[in-house]
Amino acid sequence: MAFPASRRLSAAAAPKLSSLFTPGPTPKPRPLPPESGDDPRRRKPRPRSRHPCGEDAAALLRRLHEGRYLPGPYLPDAPHVVSPDAVKAAAERFGNDHQVVAKWLSGSDLKKVALFGCPSVERRTVFASKRLRAFFNLPEEKVCSSCKIRSSCQFINQEVPRYDKVILSDTMRILALFVLDAYPEPLQVTAEVKASVRKLLKDTINLSI
């Protein structure tokens, strides 16, 4: 059916709907607010990127697997896939079961490791390190003042009770982080400390068999 000419004219003159709306600039996404407590000054340092483990780490993992402190099969070709947290916990349990070994470890090597400081700002590891320092009567202020990760630690200069023995579970927790290279990047472990760690680990494994 044909439309009247006047109606066809008005329809042609009517503006298109799309021309009534001019697109504006695309709004920029607003940044998300920081999470509560996420103060960069108190942010924990990230652990070092881990490389395939060396002979010391392989020996530790093998001993922990043999003692059934770590679940699953021993992976000699890929020990780096094991979680450092799982190794720390397993090493600590191993130390609890072999406390008698501690009295035969080298005091000079233990003291070198204690003087180095904490290999982590995680609470359990910090207090394990503090108890080792307390055994040797090392003042916390001396060690904490030179620590490279003290700005991220909540326990600076905090003293702990002194025990009359080296606690092997504490020592094994500390050694595990060193041999796995699972300590924060700012820490620079000297060759002397690494040699002490290696000797302590070797002696602990040999004396626990």
Side-chain angles (χ1 to χ4, degrees), residues 110-132:
L110 286 168
K111 190 172 183 179
K112 288 176 186 176
V113 172
L115 274 169
F116 177 81
C118 306
S120 169
V121 294
E122 180 264 329
R123 187 180 188 279
R124 290 177 67 91
T125 304
V126 168
F127 279 89
S129 300
K130 286 179 179 290
R131 285 189 288 270
L132 184 58

Side-chain angles (χ1 to χ4, degrees), residues 22-42:
T22 303
T26 303
K28 295 182 179 180
R30 299 178 63 184
L32 295 175
E35 296 181 4
S36 59
D38 186 19
D39 186 348
R41 293 170 298 179
R42 302 294 296 181

